[in-house]
Amino acid sequence: MRLCDAGAKCCLDIRWLFVSRTSQISPYPTRETAFAASSCGSSNVNVLGMEINMIFDTHAHYSDGRFAQDRETILSEMMDRGVGNIVEVGAGVESTKDALVLAHQYDFIYAAVGIHPEEVESLDESHMDWLKELSQDDKVVAMGEIGLDYYYDEPPREIQRYWFMRQLQIAAEAGMPVIIHSRDAAQDTLEVMQEHCDWENGGVI
């Protein structure tokens, strides 16, 4: 995943970023703290008394309705708080649409498009064609959030695995990184990825 700002002064190149979340945290956090520092050179900022480069938030859900009251205020303060780039991550059809809208509203926000494993039961190949089309958008930088979630019994695991595989295939065809959701499904997640993921494109787990 490689992002540059409009003036090409700040570039970020990520291969794989592995993020662990404890079971006490909600499966649908409003914002996950999966951060990687970019190589912004002169764009250092002071955060909590430390001089660091601008932060790149690889997984955000600011289009969520819980941000409706103060979304614009929060996003307008990002640069001052040391956040240089954000990937707004889709988790279903509607949230993917919302992620794209937000990405086109703000220069520093990019979109990931994809269907979360809890949302795959109603999918068909027309949704895959739609994701392929979205992957061509200039503001789309990754496929996600996709993966497996065995915490609950539904959707059936074989359905989850199938649509995870299909979205990995689309990401590979498009040469895009992937953003992986895996809960209580580590072995199956790895097996599906070993067969269908293009590891050279990188991603976030």
Side-chain angles (χ1 to χ4, degrees):
M1 186 185 301
R2 185 170 178 84
L3 302 177
C4 294
D5 69 8
K9 296 176 182 176
C10 173
C11 291
L12 171 71
D13 199 346
I14 290 180
R15 279 301 175 189
W16 282 95
L17 179 64
F18 294 88
V19 182
S20 177
R21 192 166 66 219
T22 64
S23 59
Q24 286 76 24
I25 299 178
S26 165
Y28 288 111
T30 54
R31 183 176 175 216
E32 293 179 340
T33 53
F35 292 137
S38 65
S39 55
C40 292
S42 62
S43 298
N44 288 4
V45 293
N46 190 287
V47 177
L48 300 179
M50 297 180 291
E51 195 76 12
I52 64 170
N53 290 328
M54 296 295 281
I55 289 169
F56 172 47
D57 187 346
T58 66
H59 194 136
H61 294 289
Y62 289 114
S63 57
D64 189 283
R66 286 170 285 187
F67 287 106
Q69 298 298 318
D70 56 1
R71 183 182 299 111
E72 291 186 11
T73 300
I74 291 172
L75 294 177
S76 69
E77 295 175 349
M78 284 295 169
M79 290 293 183
D80 291 338
R81 295 181 180 273
V83 180
N85 291 108
I86 296 170
V87 175
E88 178 72 9
V89 180
V93 172
E94 293 306 315
S95 63
T96 290
K97 292 177 182 177
D98 292 340
L100 270 171
V101 169
L102 204 63
H104 282 285
Q105 285 178 341
Y106 295 88
D107 290 342
F108 63 95
I109 297 179
Y110 297 82
V113 299
I115 310 299
H116 187 283
E118 291 185 0
E119 304 290 331
V120 298
E121 197 159 12
S122 61
L123 294 183
D124 57 42
E125 281 300 318
S126 68
H127 293 100
M128 299 301 102
D129 292 337
W130 177 64
L131 290 175
K132 288 180 186 178
E133 182 179 346
L134 295 184
S135 71
Q136 303 304 309
D137 190 293
D138 288 342
K139 292 303 295 282
V140 173
V141 296
M143 185 73 62
E145 131 185 38
I146 64 177
L148 301 174
D149 194 318
Y150 292 171
Y151 185 79
Y152 299 108
D153 293 331
E154 298 293 334
R157 295 182 179 186
E158 62 272 19
I159 293 177
Q160 290 191 44
R161 286 193 292 266
Y162 177 78
W163 292 113
F164 181 30
M165 172 198 73
R166 287 292 294 118
Q167 292 181 91
L168 284 173
Q169 290 173 340
I170 291 170
E173 292 169 8
M176 301 186 71
V178 289
I179 296 176
I180 304 297
H181 173 102
S182 178
R183 183 164 62 153
D184 294 348
Q187 185 61 42
D188 280 5
T189 299
L190 181 58
E191 289 177 1
V192 174
M193 291 182 70
Q194 285 176 329
E195 186 171 355
H196 300 286
C197 182
D198 187 339
W199 295 88
E200 288 299 312
N201 291 328
V204 180
I205 298 180

